[in-house]
Amino acid sequence: MPKSQPKYRDIADELRAQIESGELPPGKKLPHTEKLVERFGASKQTVRTAVDVLAQEGLVVARRRYGTVVRDRRTVRIPLSRYQGSLDSEGQLGPFEAACQEQGLRGVMKTVSVEQVRAPDVAALLGLESEDALVCRRREAHIEDQVVQFQQAWYPLEVAQAAGLDRPGKVTGGVYGALAAAGMAPAEADERVAARMPSQEEGAQLGTGLALPVLTIERISRSDTGRPLELLRVVAAGDRMELVYEALPLPGRHQA
């Protein structure tokens, strides 16, 4: 006879099936541990282990003082045109927020910290001397009540001061709008996208667990004169973000 799997696996399989079928929809609170113990005839530890399996798969997420809920896994499409969409939103929405609104999602970019720093490796990427001061802005992107991205961006001090990026608080309309208003509109950017497995802290904060990869994005934006204006690094939940690059020119496309 084949060996039966552990009880916690049976519980996790049944709850997973309910999640995948929609019987337990996104945002729905899982039954309390006591209810699951009664339902499955298992110990509290067995039930907790089963729920932890689902958390590590990115299917549920624990909320302090509330309970464990089914994680929202709706994907937001982030098109290359997100920057123009932000500028077209009459200065109220940043690129991420504009992309979310387009898809009927409530996306909010929250500022975590703004500080003046010295970072020789970053300064070199921005074409500065190693001892030059930079302004570092840390942000979190939320969809509904869930963190889906961490962002860290650096600016030359002079650029940050001119565009008001050295001050704490949210930049209404997004950083690109602030740079454009200061006469330093970004004209081009190099963007690199990769994937890796999350750290334990990233998995917990993004709700991806340890089984789902995160996307990493690094972008350097420049003015029309080629001056570096921003270095941005992003860590995002891989199952929540879809980066879309449309109408890219291809080498030789005009050749016969």
Side-chain angles (χ1 to χ4, degrees):
M1 292 181 59
K3 186 178 179 180
S4 61
Q5 66 178 357
K7 180 71 172 179
Y8 76 87
R9 288 287 180 187
D10 292 332
I11 298 172
D13 288 348
E14 186 167 332
L15 293 174
R16 185 188 301 106
Q18 289 184 279
I19 292 170
E20 297 293 358
S21 70
E23 186 177 346
L24 288 173
K28 179 73 173 180
K29 187 176 179 180
L30 291 188
H32 192 273
T33 300
E34 299 289 351
K35 294 287 187 182
L36 294 176
V37 165
E38 181 180 346
R39 171 178 164 186
F40 291 107
S43 68
K44 286 184 179 181
Q45 185 56 51
T46 298
V47 166
R48 289 176 182 138
T49 301
V51 172
D52 187 58
V53 168
L54 301 180
Q56 294 308 319
E57 293 176 356
L59 295 176
V60 301
V61 61
R63 292 183 180 169
R64 287 188 64 186
R65 300 177 182 174
Y66 182 75
T68 300
V69 300
V70 177
R71 181 169 169 261
D72 190 344
R73 292 177 287 153
R74 287 177 294 174
T75 300
V76 58
R77 296 177 73 253
I78 309 291
L80 184 63
S81 58
R82 61 193 182 272
Y83 304 111
Q84 188 59 49
S86 171
L87 295 176
D88 290 343
S89 68
E90 298 182 353
Q92 297 304 306
L93 302 176
F96 172 80
E97 295 165 332
C100 286
Q101 184 184 70
E102 181 75 16
Q103 295 160 71
L105 299 172
R106 184 170 61 88
V108 178
M109 189 67 71
K110 297 182 179 181
T111 301
V112 175
S113 66
V114 180
E115 58 183 336
Q116 193 174 135
V117 301
R118 282 182 169 76
D121 57 332
V122 173
L125 292 173
L126 290 173
L128 303 172
E129 298 297 328
S130 60
E131 67 274 9
D132 287 345
L134 307 169
V135 169
C136 177
R137 298 183 65 89
R138 291 180 174 84
R139 296 168 289 191
E140 290 179 351
H142 294 242
I143 296 179
E144 305 302 332
D145 296 320
Q146 187 175 311
V147 180
V148 297
Q149 285 186 24
F150 304 118
Q151 295 192 0
Q152 194 168 7
W154 294 266
Y155 308 89
L157 179 60
E158 181 184 353
V159 170
Q161 290 175 335
L165 302 176
D166 60 329
R167 299 191 289 270
K170 180 178 173 59
V171 179
T172 302
V175 167
Y176 271 24
L179 289 169
M184 297 177 289
E188 65 177 26
D190 296 333
E191 187 164 278
R192 299 186 180 190
V193 182
R196 61 170 172 78
M197 301 310 293
S199 67
Q200 188 165 358
E201 182 180 4
E202 289 168 342
Q205 292 181 300
L206 294 171
T208 58
L210 298 178
L212 297 176
V214 293
L215 291 179
T216 62
I217 304 167
E218 179 173 288
R219 185 180 72 229
I220 298 178
S221 302
R222 300 182 183 86
S223 68
D224 57 2
T225 63
R227 179 187 185 186
L229 301 172
E230 175 193 59
L231 169 63
L232 174 70
R233 288 176 177 156
V234 179
V235 177
D239 62 341
R240 298 299 310 269
M241 300 289 111
E242 179 183 345
L243 301 175
V244 181
Y245 301 89
E246 300 170 321
L248 297 178
L250 298 176
R253 66 174 181 172
H254 298 303
Q255 295 179 4

